[in-house]
Amino acid sequence: MHNTPEKQPPKSSDTPPAEGGEAERRLNFVEEIVEGDLRSGKYAGRVHTRFPPEPNGYLHIGHAKSICLNFGLAQRYNGKCNLRFDDTNPSKEDVEYVDSIMDSVRWLGFDWEDRLYYASDYFQQLYDWAEQLIQAGKAYVCDLNGDQMREYRGTLTAPGKNSPYRDREVDENLDLFRRMRAGEFADGSRTLRAKIDMASPNLNMRDPVLYRILHATHHRTGDAWCIYPMYDFTHGQSDSIEQITHSICTLEFENHRPLYDWFLTELGIYRPQQIEFARLNLTYTLMSKRKLLELVEEERVSGWDDPRMPTLVGLRRRGYTPEAIRSFCERIGVAKFNSVIDVQVLENAIREDLNRRAPRVLAVLKPLKVVIDNYPADQVEEMDAVNNPEDPSAGTRKVPFTREVYIERDDFREDPPKEFFRLAPGREVRLRYAYLVTCTGVVKDEKTGEITELHCTYDPATRGGNTPDGRKVKGTIHWVSATKSLPAEVRVYDHLFTQPDPGDVPAGGDYRQNLNPTSLELLQECRVEPSLAGAAPESRYQFERQGYFCVDRVDSSPDRLVFNRTVSLKDTWAKIEKGQKGQKKDQKK
Ligand code: ATP
Ligand code: MG
């Protein structure tokens, strides 16, 4: 028995600690309901949830919220969570989606053990239940077509009208329904409907369709069926069959609940408790599977796993970790009202995770060659570089320093503005982990005027970047050896949409007009330090001063290094600083 007073968070020892060692948080409202049921013994101490995707697209970050909630409850209360495919719509579903969904749930770190189910496994049972409703005079075959049915349904303010077929005899209904199943009728010519109440204020209760005729091949049942149950006639009964205790769904299903309850009552079967929560919305992000499919089909992105997509395969390819996504879901919590979460909350979650774990390396994205004139031409020095200042146990590595190095083009200005502390003619700057260098010359392309090379001298007394004489050097910049570094491609991503609410467009407009034309910047002449040779797909790094990057799991290979920028460094802080300091452009030192 549980003796914890009502309002206190649980201190039970089997509760896993929150991600990142955070203090125990307050219970969310779903956990409060579950704990109440555990106390009252409503389900004899059982907690059994399920995650029920429709295999008609790839999972996105919104699904992650539902996955973490459902599997998280099972973990927290020593219960079980099923994975169930709600596969009632053969025309939109595909095994490709089934496979990717399983893969993504596992990748997120959850396990359905031996409890993988498909609503299509219940087709026979659902059919039998439909006959049971017909026998009980609670369902009828209707010959209205789609347009007529809409017309008869009425509106939110006007009641509907009874279908002229509503009073068919049980025997006739049974005969017609069996012939529907036998394939005697054309698609759309007839439906099976529940006989409830055409005047109900809840439109879902106005004789909803239970079965439609659809001569389509199903990805699992093949051509065994030419009638398919509607989602509403499937979902609640599937939960019932699986003895789900808490059937958690998003808010828009609140007014379907009376219908699900009606089915369970009329059929006299086990009743789970449905609980609705608010779906996740994120700024600069679309979460509709239909629109995501359009982006893929119209090749506005490279695929479902394009690193700009909010899909779990996209986020994975972008460099997100499952830990960061779980910690994000934990942080946003679970509520009963709809809201929009700032996408920066997600970005901060991955920053925090990678800040702890990602090794630091030197990489130059837009290289500018620097010749250090007084450095011996054939000399190579191995400089000690810290792998992760957040994690001393990560140790140090050697980075080769040579007479010719590359620095970032942006780290040099011929005419530096006042607060620019990096390299400029006559200025001294620290090359991280190496030496202090002073710019002595600028070489330009005669025709274009573009800077092609810098000349510098170095101070041999400053090895490691130290200044034994104590002189102050404000700027520290990163670099790589021109001769010892490796070529790499880097893809720098920005939000896919330019507007916080991409779907908010004037009448006649379309979300596509908010696509960000510069959401992908391809940098093909980058140089990275030699320790990255053979870096494994999906390994993640902090490129010093630039952000977090991961090795692309699709395109990178031992002879072609390709990185995706996961997220920039401390974006929010830079912006806040920018706001405070007005026009000042130079944030990095
Ligand atoms: P559609 O409406 O296009 O069918 P869906 O988003 O409802 O898509 P499902 O595959 O049915 O997709 O979703 C599986 C589960 O994930 C459902 O329980 C659903 O409530 C939940 N889910 C979907 N989108 C979100 C979201 N944005 N936030 C939280 N949960 C979500
Ligand atoms: Mg759905």
Side-chain angles (χ1 to χ4, degrees):
M1 276 307 287
H2 218 288
N3 284 328
T4 321
E6 286 283 340
K7 288 278 155 65
Q8 295 248 316
K11 297 214 173 79
S12 68
S13 54
D14 51 21
T15 300
E19 215 73 49
E22 283 165 39
E24 184 63 50
R25 54 165 174 75
R26 283 193 49 162
L27 296 186
N28 64 46
F29 85 94
V30 182
E31 290 161 345
E32 276 175 7
I33 293 173
V34 170
E35 293 204 359
D37 291 343
L38 285 174
R39 277 194 296 271
S40 73
K42 184 169 174 190
Y43 296 103
R46 281 192 315 124
V47 174
H48 201 148
T49 56
R50 84 287 173 264
F51 173 63
E54 239 177 293
N56 61 355
Y58 282 64
L59 296 182
H60 53 57
I61 183 73
H63 294 115
K65 177 176 179 180
S66 175
I67 296 169
C68 289
L69 177 57
N70 281 295
F71 281 93
L73 285 169
Q75 277 174 0
R76 189 178 180 107
Y77 298 108
N78 210 7
K80 293 181 174 140
C81 181
N82 298 353
L83 175 62
R84 181 177 71 239
F85 289 101
D86 267 342
D87 53 351
T88 55
N89 188 353
S91 51
K92 290 193 173 159
E93 294 162 4
D94 200 283
V95 278
E96 174 195 350
Y97 300 134
V98 170
D99 293 342
S100 86
I101 288 170
M102 292 201 277
D103 212 48
S104 287
V105 174
R106 276 195 214 101
W107 177 75
L108 256 192
F110 297 105
D111 184 5
W112 55 89
E113 297 170 333
D114 58 350
R115 294 177 310 279
L116 170 64
Y117 300 109
Y118 294 85
S120 55
D121 290 344
Y122 310 140
F123 279 175
Q124 185 60 47
Q125 174 69 76
L126 292 165
Y127 177 86
D128 294 342
W129 277 331
E131 284 208 355
Q132 186 184 327
L133 290 181
I134 294 172
Q135 305 271 18
K138 299 286 182 178
Y140 61 97
V141 172
C142 180
D143 301 357
L144 294 180
N145 65 33
D147 286 338
Q148 293 167 323
M149 218 181 282
R150 254 185 300 281
E151 192 190 309
Y152 273 75
R153 186 160 54 216
T155 63
L156 278 174
T157 47
K161 285 186 299 186
N162 284 352
S163 160
Y165 305 98
R166 199 174 199 263
D167 295 321
R168 274 181 166 148
E169 295 295 327
V170 168
D171 287 346
E172 190 189 358
N173 282 320
L174 212 47
D175 173 61
L176 285 171
F177 188 51
R178 288 177 179 166
R179 288 166 61 198
M180 277 168 66
R181 179 188 183 168
E184 286 189 30
F185 308 121
D187 286 3
S189 60
R190 291 199 157 93
T191 55
L192 182 73
R193 300 176 68 178
K195 197 173 191 174
I196 308 180
D197 178 8
M198 287 306 292
S200 170
N202 184 341
L203 293 179
N204 295 310
M205 302 297 275
R206 294 186 188 173
D207 291 11
V209 172
L210 310 184
Y211 268 89
R212 64 219 163 113
I213 303 173
L214 199 61
H215 289 82
T217 305
H218 187 278
H219 66 103
R220 294 194 80 243
T221 57
D223 294 321
W225 295 88
C226 63
I227 56 172
Y228 288 93
M230 301 302 287
Y231 179 85
D232 275 352
F233 189 64
T234 308
H235 187 76
Q237 288 98 303
S238 301
D239 283 342
S240 175
I241 292 171
E242 293 173 20
Q243 301 269 309
I244 298 304
T245 56
H246 300 86
S247 166
I248 297 160
C249 59
T250 42
L251 288 180
E252 60 292 6
F253 288 97
E254 195 158 11
N255 55 16
H256 293 238
R257 177 154 34 108
L259 177 60
Y260 298 168
D261 286 345
W262 187 88
F263 291 139
L264 300 177
T265 306
E266 295 300 329
L267 296 170
I269 55 179
Y270 167 87
R271 179 184 297 201
Q273 173 168 0
Q274 176 169 314
I275 305 170
E276 302 88 11
F277 73 104
R279 62 173 49 235
L280 169 67
N281 298 299
L282 271 184
T283 57
Y284 298 97
T285 309
L286 275 184
M287 223 89 86
S288 143
K289 279 195 274 189
R290 181 178 62 77
K291 290 175 184 164
L292 296 178
L293 177 63
E294 282 170 1
L295 294 173
V296 172
E297 285 181 338
E298 296 167 13
E299 297 184 14
R300 291 169 199 275
V301 293
S302 66
W304 285 99
D305 69 346
D306 186 298
R308 292 164 294 180
M309 290 281 272
T311 50
L312 295 180
V313 283
L315 289 166
R316 174 177 182 178
R317 197 170 163 196
R318 177 83 171 250
Y320 274 77
T321 60
E323 291 83 356
I325 294 176
R326 294 201 304 261
S327 130
F328 166 75
C329 291
E330 178 78 7
R331 199 166 307 179
I332 57 174
V334 180
K336 213 112 187 113
F337 48 87
N338 279 313
S339 65
V340 183
I341 304 285
D342 191 326
V343 71
Q344 288 187 27
V345 179
L346 178 63
E347 293 168 354
N348 282 332
I350 186 65
R351 261 186 211 112
E352 259 175 45
D353 187 26
L354 294 181
N355 182 44
R356 275 196 300 268
R357 306 200 272 168
R360 276 55 172 169
V361 292
L362 300 178
V364 174
L365 302 188
K366 294 177 182 166
L368 173 60
K369 185 181 274 186
V370 177
V371 181
I372 302 163
D373 293 314
N374 61 338
Y375 193 86
D378 298 326
Q379 185 168 310
V380 180
E381 278 180 278
E382 296 290 340
M383 304 311 219
D384 288 313
V386 174
N387 285 335
N388 187 350
E390 301 288 322
D391 175 12
S393 73
T396 61
R397 68 189 184 287
K398 302 285 186 192
V399 186
F401 185 76
T402 52
R403 183 171 194 257
E404 294 191 355
V405 298
Y406 289 117
I407 65 165
E408 212 64 66
R409 227 156 233 290
D410 286 349
D411 282 339
F412 176 79
R413 293 277 187 94
E414 214 176 358
D415 242 336
K418 204 162 151 247
E419 308 234 10
F420 186 85
F421 299 118
R422 302 173 246 171
L423 201 58
R427 285 264 187 92
E428 187 173 53
V429 79
R430 175 182 292 105
L431 296 183
R432 182 105 158 125
Y433 303 126
Y435 287 106
L436 269 57
V437 296
T438 303
C439 179
T440 53
V442 181
V443 181
K444 292 182 186 173
D445 182 304
E446 279 180 16
K447 286 189 199 122
T448 63
E450 193 201 4
I451 298 171
T452 54
E453 192 176 288
L454 299 179
H455 284 264
C456 284
T457 55
Y458 85 115
D459 178 354
T462 59
R463 194 175 197 278
N466 302 311
T467 49
D469 60 354
R471 73 177 182 272
K472 282 238 151 49
V473 178
K474 273 202 168 165
T476 296
I477 63 175
H478 61 275
W479 55 275
V480 294
S481 159
T483 45
K484 299 281 176 188
S485 61
L486 307 171
E489 289 172 48
V490 174
R491 298 161 182 175
V492 177
Y493 297 102
D494 194 0
H495 299 143
L496 189 51
F497 293 97
T498 53
Q499 299 301 314
D501 179 358
D504 182 24
V505 284
D510 178 283
Y511 70 92
R512 293 175 185 82
Q513 72 197 60
N514 289 329
L515 278 164
N516 178 1
T518 56
S519 59
L520 168 59
E521 189 185 3
L522 279 175
L523 302 173
Q524 292 183 295
E525 321 243 280
C526 312
R527 307 289 306 189
V528 299
E529 62 167 75
S531 74
L532 288 175
E538 297 205 278
S539 34
R540 303 172 177 93
Y541 302 92
Q542 184 193 101
F543 288 1
E544 289 211 19
R545 299 176 65 230
Q546 319 253 22
Y548 295 97
F549 295 75
C550 76
V551 179
D552 188 78
R553 62 194 287 250
V554 177
D555 294 326
S556 200
S557 64
D559 28 63
R560 180 184 169 213
L561 273 177
V562 182
F563 292 91
N564 297 323
R565 188 178 75 177
T566 309
V567 69
S568 62
L569 286 176
K570 294 180 185 163
D571 199 31
T572 13
W573 299 354
K575 270 182 197 152
I576 291 165
E577 211 185 332
K578 203 170 200 163
Q580 285 169 346
K581 296 197 178 166
Q583 295 305 310
K584 200 184 106 180
K585 281 213 172 129
D586 181 24
Q587 299 301 329
K588 293 178 195 162
K589 308 238 159 65

